[in-house]
mmCIF file with all atom_site columns, all heavy atoms in Angstrom:
data_model
loop_
_atom_site.group_PDB
_atom_site.id
_atom_site.type_symbol
_atom_site.label_atom_id
_atom_site.label_alt_id
_atom_site.label_comp_id
_atom_site.label_asym_id
_atom_site.label_entity_id
_atom_site.label_seq_id
_atom_site.pdbx_PDB_ins_code
_atom_site.Cartn_x
_atom_site.Cartn_y
_atom_site.Cartn_z
_atom_site.occupancy
_atom_site.B_iso_or_equiv
_atom_site.pdbx_formal_charge
_atom_site.auth_seq_id
_atom_site.auth_comp_id
_atom_site.auth_asym_id
_atom_site.auth_atom_id
_atom_site.pdbx_PDB_model_num
ATOM 1  N N   . GLN N 1 37  ? -57.360 54.730 19.268 1.00 92.00 ? 1188 GLN N N   1
ATOM 2  C CA  . GLN N 1 37  ? -57.573 53.934 18.064 1.00 92.00 ? 1188 GLN N CA  1
ATOM 3  C C   . GLN N 1 37  ? -57.438 54.810 16.833 1.00 92.00 ? 1188 GLN N C   1
ATOM 4  O O   . GLN N 1 37  ? -58.285 55.667 16.557 1.00 92.00 ? 1188 GLN N O   1
ATOM 5  C CB  . GLN N 1 37  ? -58.941 53.260 18.090 1.00 92.00 ? 1188 GLN N CB  1
ATOM 6  C CG  . GLN N 1 37  ? -59.172 52.303 16.923 1.00 92.00 ? 1188 GLN N CG  1
ATOM 7  C CD  . GLN N 1 37  ? -60.500 51.572 17.025 1.00 92.00 ? 1188 GLN N CD  1
ATOM 8  O OE1 . GLN N 1 37  ? -61.453 52.077 17.588 1.00 92.00 ? 1188 GLN N OE1 1
ATOM 9  N NE2 . GLN N 1 37  ? -60.556 50.364 16.469 1.00 92.00 ? 1188 GLN N NE2 1
ATOM 10 N N   . ASP N 1 42  ? -56.236 48.866 15.443 1.00 87.00 ? 1193 ASP N N   1
ATOM 11 C CA  . ASP N 1 42  ? -56.813 48.296 16.652 1.00 87.00 ? 1193 ASP N CA  1
ATOM 12 C C   . ASP N 1 42  ? -56.571 49.258 17.822 1.00 87.00 ? 1193 ASP N C   1
ATOM 13 O O   . ASP N 1 42  ? -55.645 50.066 17.794 1.00 87.00 ? 1193 ASP N O   1
ATOM 14 C CB  . ASP N 1 42  ? -56.195 46.934 16.956 1.00 87.00 ? 1193 ASP N CB  1
ATOM 15 C CG  . ASP N 1 42  ? -54.693 46.980 16.994 1.00 87.00 ? 1193 ASP N CG  1
ATOM 16 O OD1 . ASP N 1 42  ? -54.078 47.059 15.909 1.00 87.00 ? 1193 ASP N OD1 1
ATOM 17 O OD2 . ASP N 1 42  ? -54.138 46.968 18.104 1.00 87.00 ? 1193 ASP N OD2 1
ATOM 18 N N   . VAL N 1 96  ? -62.422 46.220 39.506 1.00 69.00 ? 1247 VAL N N   1
ATOM 19 C CA  . VAL N 1 96  ? -61.098 45.615 39.340 1.00 69.00 ? 1247 VAL N CA  1
ATOM 20 C C   . VAL N 1 96  ? -61.148 44.099 39.409 1.00 69.00 ? 1247 VAL N C   1
ATOM 21 O O   . VAL N 1 96  ? -60.382 43.425 38.755 1.00 69.00 ? 1247 VAL N O   1
ATOM 22 C CB  . VAL N 1 96  ? -60.105 46.172 40.366 1.00 69.00 ? 1247 VAL N CB  1
ATOM 23 C CG1 . VAL N 1 96  ? -60.417 45.684 41.764 1.00 69.00 ? 1247 VAL N CG1 1
ATOM 24 C CG2 . VAL N 1 96  ? -58.679 45.829 39.977 1.00 69.00 ? 1247 VAL N CG2 1
ATOM 25 N N   . ALA N 1 98  ? -63.670 42.255 38.423 1.00 56.00 ? 1249 ALA N N   1
ATOM 26 C CA  . ALA N 1 98  ? -64.559 41.720 37.394 1.00 56.00 ? 1249 ALA N CA  1
ATOM 27 C C   . ALA N 1 98  ? -63.780 41.440 36.126 1.00 56.00 ? 1249 ALA N C   1
ATOM 28 O O   . ALA N 1 98  ? -62.716 41.991 35.892 1.00 56.00 ? 1249 ALA N O   1
ATOM 29 C CB  . ALA N 1 98  ? -65.692 42.691 37.121 1.00 56.00 ? 1249 ALA N CB  1
ATOM 30 N N   . SER N 1 99  ? -64.311 40.581 35.307 1.00 64.00 ? 1250 SER N N   1
ATOM 31 C CA  . SER N 1 99  ? -63.652 40.235 34.065 1.00 64.00 ? 1250 SER N CA  1
ATOM 32 C C   . SER N 1 99  ? -63.973 41.206 32.946 1.00 64.00 ? 1250 SER N C   1
ATOM 33 O O   . SER N 1 99  ? -63.159 41.414 32.059 1.00 64.00 ? 1250 SER N O   1
ATOM 34 C CB  . SER N 1 99  ? -64.071 38.831 33.619 1.00 64.00 ? 1250 SER N CB  1
ATOM 35 O OG  . SER N 1 99  ? -63.711 37.882 34.575 1.00 64.00 ? 1250 SER N OG  1
ATOM 36 N N   . GLN Q 2 38  ? -67.055 45.779 17.149 1.00 93.00 ? 1381 GLN Q N   1
ATOM 37 C CA  . GLN Q 2 38  ? -67.067 47.237 17.051 1.00 93.00 ? 1381 GLN Q CA  1
ATOM 38 C C   . GLN Q 2 38  ? -67.784 47.672 15.787 1.00 93.00 ? 1381 GLN Q C   1
ATOM 39 O O   . GLN Q 2 38  ? -67.338 47.374 14.675 1.00 93.00 ? 1381 GLN Q O   1
ATOM 40 C CB  . GLN Q 2 38  ? -65.643 47.803 17.071 1.00 93.00 ? 1381 GLN Q CB  1
ATOM 41 C CG  . GLN Q 2 38  ? -65.624 49.324 17.147 1.00 93.00 ? 1381 GLN Q CG  1
ATOM 42 C CD  . GLN Q 2 38  ? -64.222 49.895 17.294 1.00 93.00 ? 1381 GLN Q CD  1
ATOM 43 O OE1 . GLN Q 2 38  ? -63.237 49.282 16.906 1.00 93.00 ? 1381 GLN Q OE1 1
ATOM 44 N NE2 . GLN Q 2 38  ? -64.121 51.093 17.869 1.00 93.00 ? 1381 GLN Q NE2 1
ATOM 45 N N   . ARG Q 2 51  ? -61.036 32.078 29.686 1.00 90.00 ? 1394 ARG Q N   1
ATOM 46 C CA  . ARG Q 2 51  ? -59.799 32.041 30.442 1.00 90.00 ? 1394 ARG Q CA  1
ATOM 47 C C   . ARG Q 2 51  ? -58.933 30.904 29.938 1.00 90.00 ? 1394 ARG Q C   1
ATOM 48 O O   . ARG Q 2 51  ? -59.412 29.974 29.308 1.00 90.00 ? 1394 ARG Q O   1
ATOM 49 C CB  . ARG Q 2 51  ? -60.093 31.905 31.938 1.00 90.00 ? 1394 ARG Q CB  1
ATOM 50 C CG  . ARG Q 2 51  ? -60.837 33.112 32.470 1.00 90.00 ? 1394 ARG Q CG  1
ATOM 51 C CD  . ARG Q 2 51  ? -60.682 33.309 33.958 1.00 90.00 ? 1394 ARG Q CD  1
ATOM 52 N NE  . ARG Q 2 51  ? -61.317 34.561 34.380 1.00 90.00 ? 1394 ARG Q NE  1
ATOM 53 C CZ  . ARG Q 2 51  ? -60.695 35.724 34.377 1.00 90.00 ? 1394 ARG Q CZ  1
ATOM 54 N NH1 . ARG Q 2 51  ? -59.446 35.822 34.005 1.00 90.00 ? 1394 ARG Q NH1 1
ATOM 55 N NH2 . ARG Q 2 51  ? -61.322 36.809 34.771 1.00 90.00 ? 1394 ARG Q NH2 1
ATOM 56 N N   . ASN Q 2 98  ? -55.742 44.222 35.708 1.00 52.00 ? 1441 ASN Q N   1
ATOM 57 C CA  . ASN Q 2 98  ? -56.813 43.329 35.303 1.00 52.00 ? 1441 ASN Q CA  1
ATOM 58 C C   . ASN Q 2 98  ? -57.285 43.523 33.885 1.00 52.00 ? 1441 ASN Q C   1
ATOM 59 O O   . ASN Q 2 98  ? -57.860 42.627 33.301 1.00 52.00 ? 1441 ASN Q O   1
ATOM 60 C CB  . ASN Q 2 98  ? -57.994 43.502 36.250 1.00 52.00 ? 1441 ASN Q CB  1
ATOM 61 C CG  . ASN Q 2 98  ? -58.981 42.367 36.158 1.00 52.00 ? 1441 ASN Q CG  1
ATOM 62 O OD1 . ASN Q 2 98  ? -58.582 41.219 36.228 1.00 52.00 ? 1441 ASN Q OD1 1
ATOM 63 N ND2 . ASN Q 2 98  ? -60.235 42.680 35.992 1.00 52.00 ? 1441 ASN Q ND2 1
ATOM 64 N N   . TYR Q 2 99  ? -57.052 44.679 33.329 1.00 58.00 ? 1442 TYR Q N   1
ATOM 65 C CA  . TYR Q 2 99  ? -57.616 44.879 32.010 1.00 58.00 ? 1442 TYR Q CA  1
ATOM 66 C C   . TYR Q 2 99  ? -56.697 45.650 31.092 1.00 58.00 ? 1442 TYR Q C   1
ATOM 67 O O   . TYR Q 2 99  ? -57.117 46.522 30.375 1.00 58.00 ? 1442 TYR Q O   1
ATOM 68 C CB  . TYR Q 2 99  ? -58.962 45.595 32.116 1.00 58.00 ? 1442 TYR Q CB  1
ATOM 69 C CG  . TYR Q 2 99  ? -60.046 44.907 31.327 1.00 58.00 ? 1442 TYR Q CG  1
ATOM 70 C CD1 . TYR Q 2 99  ? -60.616 43.742 31.790 1.00 58.00 ? 1442 TYR Q CD1 1
ATOM 71 C CD2 . TYR Q 2 99  ? -60.470 45.413 30.120 1.00 58.00 ? 1442 TYR Q CD2 1
ATOM 72 C CE1 . TYR Q 2 99  ? -61.593 43.095 31.079 1.00 58.00 ? 1442 TYR Q CE1 1
ATOM 73 C CE2 . TYR Q 2 99  ? -61.457 44.783 29.398 1.00 58.00 ? 1442 TYR Q CE2 1
ATOM 74 C CZ  . TYR Q 2 99  ? -62.023 43.624 29.888 1.00 58.00 ? 1442 TYR Q CZ  1
ATOM 75 O OH  . TYR Q 2 99  ? -63.004 42.988 29.181 1.00 58.00 ? 1442 TYR Q OH  1
ATOM 76 N N   . LYS Q 2 105 ? -55.436 42.813 15.308 1.00 82.00 ? 1448 LYS Q N   1
ATOM 77 C CA  . LYS Q 2 105 ? -55.996 43.533 14.171 1.00 82.00 ? 1448 LYS Q CA  1
ATOM 78 C C   . LYS Q 2 105 ? -57.423 43.048 13.935 1.00 82.00 ? 1448 LYS Q C   1
ATOM 79 O O   . LYS Q 2 105 ? -57.697 41.858 14.035 1.00 82.00 ? 1448 LYS Q O   1
ATOM 80 C CB  . LYS Q 2 105 ? -55.155 43.297 12.915 1.00 82.00 ? 1448 LYS Q CB  1
ATOM 81 C CG  . LYS Q 2 105 ? -53.713 43.753 13.039 1.00 82.00 ? 1448 LYS Q CG  1
ATOM 82 C CD  . LYS Q 2 105 ? -53.604 45.223 13.374 1.00 82.00 ? 1448 LYS Q CD  1
ATOM 83 C CE  . LYS Q 2 105 ? -52.143 45.626 13.516 1.00 82.00 ? 1448 LYS Q CE  1
ATOM 84 N NZ  . LYS Q 2 105 ? -52.003 47.012 14.003 1.00 82.00 ? 1448 LYS Q NZ  1
#
Side-chain angles (χ1 to χ4, degrees):
Chain N
Q1188 186 176 29
D1193 53 285
V1247 71
S1250 299
Chain Q
Q1381 187 175 25
R1394 296 203 175 272
N1441 196 50
Y1442 230 75
K1448 300 302 179 187

